Amino acid sequence: MNLLRRLAVTAVVVPLAATGARKLSDAVERRRGANRASRLLRQGADTVQTLFGRKKRRRFGFR
């Protein structure tokens, strides 16, 4: 039961954290322009979301 609870919490918290990182990256880019920190935040959010369910959208279907 404890393991199931942990998995449920992880399934909710990880996507929320990725979304928060992406929003933070957008805010930093709006204020200071694109820089290394905002790029790393966005890449980390993309990595977490591809690992935990939501796949990155691709521009072309053949990639």
Side-chain angles (χ1 to χ4, degrees), residues 1-15 52:
M1 192 65 157
N2 201 11
L3 178 64
L4 185 62
R5 188 176 303 143
R6 280 190 204 166
L7 290 174
V9 169
T10 303
V12 172
V13 170
V14 170
F52 288 92

Side-chain angles (χ1 to χ4, degrees), residues 39-63:
R39 189 179 70 237
L40 289 173
L41 277 170
R42 185 171 298 280
Q43 286 176 352
D46 288 343
T47 301
V48 166
Q49 283 194 333
T50 55
L51 288 175
F52 288 92
R54 185 178 143 189
K55 300 297 177 194
K56 204 166 144 180
R57 294 180 194 197
R58 304 203 184 255
R59 186 170 180 159
F60 302 106
F62 57 82
R63 278 196 207 179

